[in-house]
Amino acid sequence: MQTRAIRLSCWFVLFFLFFSCQPKHETQGRQVFRYNESAGITSLDPAFAKDQANIWACNQLFNSLVQLDSQLQIMPCLARSWEISPNGKIYRFYLRDDVFFHETDFFHFPQKRKMTAEDVVYSFKRIIDPKVASPGAWLFSLVDTINGKPAFLAINDTTVEIHLKKTFPPFLGLLSMQYCSIVPHEVVEKYGRHRSFFYENMARRSEIVHVEK
C-alpha cells in the first residue's frame, strides 16, 4: 500500500508540474473564452457550418437575425423585430442599432464599425454565391429575384427586406441557422473567400484562445 501511495504521489507531482509549465497567454486586462472541442473543426466560417463541431464553434463567434430559445421558439437577435406581409412572401426585419463588429489585433475596422443592413445583404448573397459553394445555399432557394438579383434589400441602415417566390412559413426559423450569420465584408475582401475565418497550423489537442478586448 505504501508503494502504491508513493507511486500515486509521484504521478500527482508530475501532473502538477506538467500543467504549471504550460505557456501562458498574454491576457492581462482581457476577457478570455476557452472552448474545448473533441471533434475536428474544419472551419470557423459560418458559410461552412454544416456539422456539429463547426456549428457549435461558430455559434460562439457569430449571430443571426433571429435565434431559438430553449423551447425552440423564434426570438430576436440582431433583428429587434420583424413583419411578414399578408401574402407571406415579404419579410421585413428591423435591425438593432447598437451592434458593432469586434476590433481585432490583425484587422482594424473604422472606429465604431456598426453593423448595418448592407452587412445582412452581403452575408446572405455570399451564402448563395456559386464561387463560395456554401452547403447552406439551399436555405435561400425560395428567395425571389428583382432585376435579375437576389431579393435581399437594404431599405435603410436598419431595415432589411427579403422577398420570397412563394409562401413558406418555416423560412423565419431557417434564418436562425448558423449559415445565416452576419459577417463583415471587410474581412472576406481582405483575406479572400477561402482564407477568411480559418485558423492555420492547428494541431490536435492544441488550443485556440479567443480573446476579447
Side-chain angles (χ1 to χ4, degrees):
M1 291 295 291
Q2 185 177 4
T3 302
R4 183 178 179 184
I6 293 173
R7 188 180 296 116
L8 289 174
S9 298
C10 290
W11 278 112
F12 176 79
V13 171
L14 289 173
F15 181 85
F16 177 79
L17 290 174
F18 176 80
F19 283 100
S20 64
C21 294
Q22 293 300 302
K24 305 290 186 197
H25 295 277
E26 295 297 329
T27 59
Q28 186 174 4
R30 298 180 176 184
Q31 294 180 346
V32 179
F33 171 74
R34 288 184 172 87
Y35 176 79
N36 294 321
E37 176 55 65
S38 59
I41 300 174
T42 59
S43 173
L44 295 177
D45 187 340
F48 298 95
K50 64 179 181 178
D51 56 39
Q52 192 175 67
N54 287 18
I55 291 171
W56 284 359
C58 288
N59 186 55
Q60 306 301 324
L61 302 172
F62 304 97
N63 296 95
S64 306
L65 294 180
V66 297
Q67 60 188 344
L68 301 180
D69 65 12
S70 59
Q71 303 299 316
L72 300 183
Q73 299 298 310
I74 300 171
M75 303 292 291
C77 190
L78 296 180
R80 56 181 174 81
S81 62
W82 55 85
E83 298 173 351
I84 303 175
S85 64
N87 64 7
K89 295 195 295 184
I90 299 176
Y91 289 71
R92 172 171 284 203
F93 296 90
Y94 299 97
L95 307 181
R96 292 171 50 178
D97 62 357
D98 58 351
V99 177
F100 298 85
F101 291 112
H102 285 284
E103 184 179 358
T104 69
D105 293 334
F106 60 89
F107 187 89
H108 295 280
F109 290 114
Q111 187 177 11
K112 293 186 176 181
R113 166 67 164 85
K114 184 181 290 188
M115 181 203 70
T116 69
E118 290 293 346
D119 293 305
V120 177
V121 171
Y122 174 84
S123 299
F124 289 174
K125 285 184 175 180
R126 180 172 178 260
I127 294 299
I128 61 175
D129 185 345
K131 295 180 180 178
V132 175
S134 168
W138 63 271
L139 292 171
F140 296 128
S141 60
L142 288 180
V143 173
D144 207 349
T145 58
I146 297 178
N147 297 325
K149 297 181 179 181
F152 303 115
L153 308 177
I155 306 303
N156 54 46
D157 282 352
T158 58
T159 307
V160 176
E161 277 190 1
I162 303 175
H163 295 231
L164 302 185
K165 299 174 184 176
K166 61 181 181 180
T167 301
F168 185 60
F171 181 71
L172 186 62
L174 293 181
L175 294 179
S176 69
M177 295 184 68
Q178 211 60 56
Y179 290 124
C180 301
S181 300
I182 309 306
V183 299
H185 68 87
E186 295 96 331
V187 173
V188 180
E189 292 170 356
K190 181 177 178 67
Y191 294 102
R193 289 188 177 92
H194 302 294
R195 292 189 64 238
S196 304
F197 315 112
F198 277 76
Y199 49 83
E200 297 179 354
N201 302 321
M202 177 64 180
R204 195 170 185 82
R205 284 194 285 273
S206 60
E207 190 176 64
I208 297 176
V209 179
H210 174 67
V211 178
E212 180 180 341
K213 291 184 177 180

